[in-house]
Amino acid sequence: MCGIVGYVGYVGNEAPQGIIIEGLKKLEYRGYDSAGIAVVNDGKIKLRKHVGEIVNLEKLIGNENLGGHVGIGHTRWATHGAPSDVNSHPHMSNDNRIALVHNGTVENYVEIREQLEKEGFTFKSDTDSEVAAVLFGKYYNELGDLKATMDKVTQEMTGTFALAAIAEDQPEKFVAYRKNAPLIVGKGNGCNFVASDFSALLKYTKDVYLLETGDTVVLTPDNVTIYDESGKEIKRETMHISWDESVAEKGKYEHFMLKEIFDQPKAIEETLDRNLSDGGRVSLYDMTLTKEDFAKFNKICIVACGTAYHAGLVGRNIFEKFVKMPVEVDVASEFRYRDPFVDEKTLFIAISQSGETADTLEALREAKRKGARVLSIVNVVGSTVARESDDVFYTWAGPEISVASTKAYTTQLLSLYLLALYLGDLRGTISEEYYREVVSELSEIPEKLEKVLTLRGDIEKLAKKLYDRDQVFFIGRGMDASVAYEGSLKLKEISYINSFAIAAGELKHGTIALMEPTTIVVALATQSKLFDKMVSNIQEVKARNAHVISIAKEGNTAIEEHSNETFYIPECMDEVSPLLSVIPLQIYAYYVAKEKGCEIDRPRNLAKSVTVE
């Protein structure tokens, strides 16, 4: 949600506007409804902002050269106030000496605003962010120092936020602050940056400082000065980002989502290579969890949101089978509010693509307060979830730009398989023969994924025929039911179709009343022991004239008699089939959305990184 880019310095002959706008484009995947930029030049702040896409901002600027050597930019995802020019960032102080951008929420903004209005200050927007800008301007006039002003402002505000501010009398300096919202610092040569994500900086630098909550940073072209929560200047080591800028480009693909669907064999292979030894053992080199530690646990709790939650549902089956321990799976946004039974005997697993998901972070912190051991599965090195966990399992999906998650989901699944194998081996609950069989099956997944991806053409033809249906149900049993939830989410996210998922055995308990000739039912039938029962469920909906699309393993051709279309995944162990069966569902969602003319990579109302509760 929202994106911040700040820049100070000298990169060739480039003015800040080009660098900042380029960075904002790299953050479009986070979701936004307006964009803006402010730079200092000739003792004045030049502000340009516009509702809608970044291209609208570029048209507004046109051939104008805003000049200067310091600036801040922002892409806004509306929380307080509708999308509009006036609610867009950056926001200005009343005297126009300060421009400020803000991610997150200021929880006590109403009280601050009312006090400022009593003092004679005025407001143009409906946002909590302008309150921060006006407050900053008030104190800057009193203190005349960016760092001291940021300290004063952040002491008065409560909530979760990242801030960056420039002043008209500071042509080569700006200040930024992080409190539980993503913000990193990029170290350049004669220039320095802040951004909400690595991808905004890769063109200019791969050396970054990871800010901690409570950190304030002052940047000039040649210096980065970081202060901790107590105000003490501290030294942090830079981290080098290994991602190449090209991984955040679409290449030959029309959309990032399609590219990322086709990235999955490589992403799975990379995650395997980093976590399997030459002898075929799961080797989690960074894991500090010992056999003695694990002996203390009596249950596992998996917590996540959205797609990551659906990965957790599959993970529950795998952990219970490999580790032989009770597993709970919770939606992170609900976890804290039911006083969960979590203590020092709980292994708490948090799953988050970005590592900045606010609800997952708060659930993690609640689990830690209750004494649980926290292990996280994240895709972004150095993210907040990773840093606040006792152990981290990094997926190696690379940057995922499309809002609808694909390769992050499958690498999360693989991570859960590898963790379950590791812990089952540690606990002695999985036989050596079965262990090696599962590892062998996982090693074949990249090649089998390539085969599944050849279904693309046939699925596209089907989408062209059925894209205008307005009701789709996904059904399955066992782990297929968990995959059905993810397939349904993908379709509704990017095509806006009213899509539902249900365990197939529950059809008779209400849902079958909705079946009619225009209804599409996507039926997953990849679990061998449940195949006959799934065929019975398919017959039930087919008898009500629903249009049935089935996903089965090669060889199970009996399902064709009861389906309008059938797509086959390669033969595999039932346990690993979710890594393959989800791919046709991703492709189907993509092509339905394309036929409907939807904005695939940035669906309406959605954000990639949900950093507010």
Side-chain angles (χ1 to χ4, degrees):
M1 285 183 167
C2 301
I4 287 175
V5 178
Y7 164 78
V8 60
Y10 302 83
V11 174
N13 294 319
E14 288 192 68
Q17 69 192 67
I19 295 168
I20 293 171
I21 289 175
E22 181 72 19
L24 293 178
K25 288 179 178 178
K26 300 297 185 185
L27 298 179
E28 285 186 297
Y29 73 91
R30 298 173 68 87
Y32 74 105
D33 48 56
S34 59
I37 183 173
V39 302
V40 176
N41 191 15
D42 294 331
K44 298 291 182 183
I45 293 177
K46 296 184 177 181
L47 174 70
R48 304 291 183 270
K49 55 184 183 176
H50 204 294
V51 71
E53 297 186 358
I54 292 173
V55 64
N56 295 338
L57 174 64
E58 291 182 298
K59 289 177 181 177
L60 175 68
I61 296 172
N63 295 323
E64 182 183 12
N65 183 353
L66 300 179
H69 297 287
V70 63
I72 51 177
H74 190 270
T75 49
R76 177 181 186 251
W77 194 88
T79 55
H80 298 74
S84 67
D85 289 349
V86 72
N87 286 334
S88 304
H89 295 224
H91 288 285
M92 302 289 287
S93 59
N94 274 187
D95 57 10
N96 294 322
R97 295 186 65 202
I98 296 293
L100 178 144
V101 292
H102 160 236
N103 284 357
T105 56
V106 181
E107 293 175 353
N108 61 336
Y109 83 99
V110 173
E111 297 95 309
I112 296 173
R113 177 170 177 151
E114 289 174 349
Q115 179 58 41
L116 289 170
E117 286 175 332
K118 289 178 182 177
E119 297 174 19
F121 293 95
T122 60
F123 295 87
K124 299 176 182 177
S125 77
D126 302 316
T127 68
D128 56 342
S129 307
E130 189 186 11
V131 171
V134 173
L135 186 65
F136 201 104
K138 170 189 171 181
Y139 287 130
Y140 189 73
N141 281 333
E142 295 175 8
L143 301 170
D145 179 82
L146 286 171
K147 163 65 170 55
T149 303
M150 184 65 82
D151 290 343
K152 187 77 171 173
V153 168
T154 54
Q155 286 167 8
E156 288 200 16
M157 297 194 318
T158 61
T160 297
F161 39 82
L163 304 168
I166 57 176
E168 67 175 13
D169 59 346
Q170 299 286 344
E172 293 190 346
K173 180 187 289 187
F174 75 99
V175 64
Y177 174 85
R178 177 182 186 268
K179 181 183 179 183
N180 296 330
L183 195 68
I184 59 171
V185 175
K187 178 64 177 171
N189 182 17
C191 58
N192 289 298
F193 311 79
V194 295
S196 298
D197 194 359
F198 301 127
S199 56
L201 307 181
L202 291 177
K203 181 176 179 179
Y204 299 101
T205 181
K206 294 182 181 179
D207 295 315
V208 301
Y209 296 99
L210 302 176
L211 297 180
E212 301 287 349
T213 281
D215 281 356
T216 301
V217 58
V218 178
L219 299 100
T220 66
D222 299 313
N223 291 292
V224 172
T225 309
I226 303 173
Y227 303 87
D228 67 12
E229 201 165 13
S230 68
K232 178 183 177 183
E233 182 178 340
I234 55 170
K235 299 295 182 184
R236 297 203 191 279
E237 295 297 318
T238 58
M239 182 178 75
H240 187 75
I241 305 302
S242 59
W243 290 346
D244 187 82
E245 185 189 356
S246 63
V247 299
E249 301 293 338
K250 283 185 286 193
K252 65 181 180 180
Y253 296 97
E254 186 175 353
H255 297 94
F256 278 110
M257 182 178 178
L258 187 61
K259 173 186 180 291
E260 287 156 7
I261 289 172
F262 278 79
D263 279 348
Q264 287 174 112
K266 183 178 179 182
I268 292 290
E269 189 170 20
E270 181 75 10
T271 302
L272 283 169
D273 286 348
R274 289 180 179 269
N275 295 288
L276 282 181
S277 69
D278 292 339
R281 310 300 297 183
V282 178
S283 300
L284 308 181
Y285 301 104
D286 297 326
M287 198 70 64
T288 61
L289 194 65
T290 65
K291 186 174 183 178
E292 291 71 30
D293 292 329
F294 199 73
K296 302 173 186 175
F297 303 136
N298 58 19
K299 75 172 182 179
I300 296 169
C301 183
I302 300 173
V303 173
C305 299
T307 285
Y309 170 73
H310 297 153
L313 293 176
V314 175
R316 174 172 57 195
N317 288 270
I318 298 304
F319 274 92
E320 289 181 344
K321 191 172 187 67
F322 295 178
V323 187
K324 303 292 191 288
M325 184 174 283
V327 181
E328 297 177 3
V329 184
D330 269 283
V331 175
S333 58
E334 292 293 321
F335 178 79
R336 286 189 297 149
Y337 304 109
R338 62 175 184 83
D339 193 19
F341 288 100
V342 172
D343 56 23
E344 65 279 355
K345 294 181 180 180
T346 304
L347 176 61
F348 181 94
I349 300 176
I351 311 174
S352 170
Q353 185 279 138
S354 66
E356 303 292 348
T357 311
D359 287 314
T360 303
L361 265 170
E362 290 304 322
L364 180 159
R365 289 164 181 157
E366 176 68 10
K368 290 191 79 170
R369 282 192 290 269
K370 290 176 174 283
R373 176 70 174 258
V374 175
L375 187 160
S376 63
I377 297 174
V378 297
N379 190 42
V380 179
V381 176
S383 59
T384 306
V385 167
R387 283 183 279 167
E388 294 194 18
S389 300
D390 299 303
D391 290 286
V392 185
F393 189 115
Y394 285 114
T395 60
W396 294 93
E400 188 179 64
I401 307 302
S402 175
V403 167
S405 181
T406 51
K407 63 178 180 175
Y409 171 76
T410 47
T411 53
Q412 285 166 355
L413 284 185
L414 178 61
S415 302
L416 289 163
Y417 283 100
L418 295 174
L419 274 170
L421 284 169
Y422 178 81
L423 297 176
D425 190 33
L426 205 63
R427 196 166 184 242
T429 52
I430 186 169
S431 71
E432 181 64 20
E433 180 183 5
Y434 186 41
Y435 181 101
R436 290 191 175 277
E437 184 181 3
V438 175
V439 169
S440 176
E441 287 275 337
L442 292 175
S443 299
E444 294 174 3
I445 291 297
E447 182 180 351
K448 291 179 178 179
L449 279 174
E450 294 284 5
K451 188 172 183 180
V452 178
L453 288 169
T454 64
L455 297 171
R456 170 186 178 180
D458 291 335
I459 296 174
E460 181 180 10
K461 291 176 184 176
L462 179 63
K464 286 179 181 292
K465 185 171 68 172
L466 299 176
Y467 74 92
D468 58 347
R469 302 294 179 90
D470 59 5
Q471 185 166 262
V472 181
F473 290 90
F474 289 74
I475 62 173
R477 285 178 174 264
M479 285 193 290
D480 280 342
S482 301
V483 177
Y485 287 116
E486 176 57 15
S488 176
L489 178 62
K490 284 286 113 17
L491 186 64
K492 72 178 67 172
E493 278 181 318
I494 63 170
S495 72
Y496 318 137
I497 287 175
N498 197 14
S499 172
F500 298 89
I502 188 171
E506 289 295 294
L507 277 168
K508 299 183 190 70
H509 301 283
T511 304
I512 202 165
L514 300 175
M515 297 301 150
E516 52 189 36
T518 58
T519 303
I520 294 175
V521 176
V522 181
L524 289 100
T526 73
Q527 302 297 295
S528 301
K529 293 181 180 179
L530 296 168
F531 182 78
D532 290 340
K533 289 186 179 295
M534 269 305 302
V535 170
S536 295
N537 293 133
I538 291 169
Q539 289 174 318
E540 290 171 353
V541 297
K542 189 65 177 169
R544 275 77 180 174
N545 295 315
H547 189 105
V548 178
I549 304 167
S550 293
I551 311 293
K553 290 181 190 174
E554 290 176 344
N556 286 339
T557 55
I559 203 169
E560 292 181 12
E561 182 183 346
H562 313 290
S563 308
N564 296 88
E565 289 89 16
T566 305
F567 296 99
Y568 294 103
I569 63 172
E571 176 59 37
C572 62
M573 291 176 67
D574 284 1
E575 291 89 329
V576 305
S577 67
L579 287 161
L580 301 174
S581 60
V582 73
I583 308 303
L585 310 185
Q586 294 172 347
I587 297 172
Y588 179 70
Y590 171 81
Y591 279 111
V592 168
K594 184 179 178 184
E595 288 301 315
K596 292 187 69 178
C598 299
E599 176 56 80
I600 291 173
D601 287 332
R602 291 184 285 109
R604 68 188 184 200
N605 304 331
L606 299 182
K608 181 70 172 174
S609 181
V610 184
T611 56
V612 295
E613 293 183 78

